[in-house]
Amino acid sequence: MEKFIYQMFILGTGEYNDYALSKGLGGVIFFTRDIQSKSQFADLIKTIKKKSLISPFLSMDQEGGKVERTENIHSRYLSPRYAYKKGELFLKKQTEQMAYELSEYGINLNFAPCADVNTNPSNPIIGERAFSDNTDDVIKGVNLVSDIYRVNGIIPTVKHYPGHGDADKDSHLTLPKIDLSFEDMKQIHIRPFKVAIDNGIEMIMAAHLHCMCFDKEVIPASLSKNAIGYLRKELNYNGIIISDDMVMKGVQNYVAIDALVMGIEAGLDMFIYRDADENTINIIEELISRVKNNPDLWQKIQKSNERIYNLKKKFGIL
């Protein structure tokens, strides 16, 4: 049971990372702090692989521009919006270069591309991270980028379901509210995720947003049975659904263990925590205790592990 539960987590580096890897940690997420030079980063990845009970996802957020983790190694790429504005050929070449570099470093999972449609010009968190404020253009960008990562042996992740583009607040700092009709959400913001699913996307990241068309009560879409259930039941998605970082303020109104249980019950397969610290390990260990007395939760965890295993096998990680 222990390694099944640890498989559901992707943690940042930190004091307890080695411990988590020895227990079967599902993956590691790298930030700028972890990447000081190419040789240092290569050594770090080599060490992580050696200490892993089960081969991990090795991941980062490498979108280009505003959200990029390799700025200590080379100058930044263009953000998705500006790369897309230069034309599909430019976007293709830039993404191929990024994918080649990530593959060389040993990264096998990228939390990109953004499938958000940036309909709110005052959006404080998406902006140029989105390919466009037009749904069809976003779909083109998402498909092109996802295909290039896949061909290069890197798992793409579309984010931030059900769409962060209309937000007027930053979910790192609070829980944004999206007050759009279901029809608008579906046609404008969810459609890029639907097309990505139809094209075989392997992983979707769920956002810490209160999406009122799914829930009148205040609950993040990342923990919502209605929002996650729509992916599973209506869009027939059977890939991995992963949370955005669980230390973001958008999900902090819940006791940490309760948020994990809610997420699993809603249909999440994996969770991100940016630090492998004592507090994070305690939360995971508490989840293990909870699951021992909850056969329904254990059943869902087994199903999630099946998805994780199949994806790792498909990309030659195991």
Side-chain angles (χ1 to χ4, degrees):
M1 178 180 286
E2 184 179 67
K3 69 180 180 183
F4 274 67
I5 291 171
Y6 269 93
Q7 271 292 287
M8 297 176 72
F9 289 85
I10 293 180
L11 306 184
T13 55
E15 188 183 354
Y16 287 82
N17 191 264
D18 289 359
Y19 173 82
L21 288 167
S22 75
K23 295 292 184 180
L25 183 65
V28 178
I29 180 169
F30 300 104
F31 294 92
T32 305
R33 67 191 183 196
D34 302 304
I35 309 167
Q36 299 303 318
S37 71
K38 289 184 180 181
S39 58
Q40 167 269 328
F41 190 41
D43 288 344
L44 176 60
I45 284 183
K46 202 180 293 180
T47 302
I48 285 169
K49 284 181 173 178
K50 275 183 190 169
K51 291 180 175 177
S52 300
L53 178 66
I54 300 168
S55 294
F57 290 124
L58 298 165
S59 67
M60 67 171 75
D61 295 277
Q62 188 81 342
E63 300 169 14
K66 204 173 171 184
V67 178
E68 206 171 305
R69 307 307 185 202
T70 55
E71 53 262 44
N72 290 332
I73 294 177
H74 60 68
S75 56
R76 287 179 184 268
Y77 292 97
L78 286 186
S79 63
R81 179 203 286 170
Y82 297 117
Y84 186 80
K85 274 187 174 178
K86 279 182 165 282
E88 289 185 31
L89 183 60
F90 181 90
L91 178 63
K92 180 175 184 288
K93 286 183 174 174
Q94 174 172 290
T95 307
E96 283 173 344
Q97 181 62 29
M98 289 168 69
Y100 173 77
E101 286 182 357
L102 291 182
S103 183
E104 285 287 290
Y105 302 147
I107 297 298
N108 53 39
L109 168 62
N110 191 12
F111 295 121
C114 287
D116 306 294
V117 183
N118 197 63
T119 50
N120 184 349
S122 303
N123 196 318
I125 186 63
I126 300 301
E128 66 191 62
R129 297 170 65 193
F131 293 105
S132 176
D133 58 5
N134 176 278
T135 302
D136 291 327
D137 286 332
V138 169
I139 287 169
K140 284 179 191 171
V142 165
N143 287 345
L144 187 152
V145 168
S146 298
D147 286 346
I148 290 169
Y149 280 122
R150 197 176 284 121
V151 164
N152 283 273
I154 296 166
I155 300 160
T157 306
V158 292
K159 60 186 186 183
H160 307 80
Y161 174 82
H164 215 304
D166 202 61
D168 62 357
K169 291 184 172 64
D170 180 350
S171 52
H172 292 86
L173 307 175
T174 188
L175 179 65
K177 181 170 79 171
I178 306 287
D179 189 7
L180 294 175
S181 70
F182 179 73
E183 198 55 34
D184 280 350
M185 278 302 295
K186 181 179 166 185
Q187 292 302 327
I188 299 169
H189 297 280
I190 295 176
R191 192 151 57 91
F193 295 95
K194 181 188 184 306
V195 175
I197 289 167
D198 293 342
N199 288 340
I201 196 67
E202 292 84 356
M203 190 176 285
I204 293 175
M205 181 184 288
H208 305 317
L209 295 167
H210 175 212
C211 200
M212 289 191 69
C213 69
F214 284 117
D215 297 281
K216 297 303 177 197
E217 67 168 305
V218 179
I219 180 173
S222 52
L223 308 181
S224 163
K225 287 182 179 179
N226 294 331
I228 303 299
Y230 185 81
L231 275 179
R232 295 287 189 215
K233 295 167 192 167
E234 301 301 321
L235 300 185
N236 300 313
Y237 181 60
N238 196 36
I240 290 175
I241 307 175
I242 188 166
S243 76
D244 207 339
D245 193 339
M246 293 297 288
V247 302
M248 289 164 62
K249 296 294 185 189
V251 77
Q252 289 301 299
N253 285 341
Y254 301 89
V255 175
I257 182 63
D258 294 339
L260 290 182
V261 171
M262 285 174 70
I264 296 167
E265 287 178 340
L268 289 184
D269 300 297
M270 299 192 80
F271 300 89
I272 297 172
Y273 279 85
R274 66 172 51 244
D275 294 305
D277 56 16
E278 186 177 7
N279 183 53
T280 304
I281 297 302
N282 287 341
I283 295 164
I284 299 172
E285 298 287 345
E286 195 175 346
L287 179 61
I288 293 167
S289 298
R290 286 269 188 112
V291 173
K292 285 174 182 172
N293 302 312
N294 192 328
D296 291 341
L297 212 57
W298 173 231
Q299 196 172 14
K300 288 178 185 294
I301 286 165
Q302 288 174 296
K303 181 65 180 172
S304 292
N305 266 257
E306 190 181 314
R307 292 189 181 107
I308 295 163
Y309 174 83
N310 288 338
L311 183 55
K312 285 185 172 180
K313 193 172 179 188
K314 178 182 174 183
F315 277 78
I317 295 168
L318 293 175

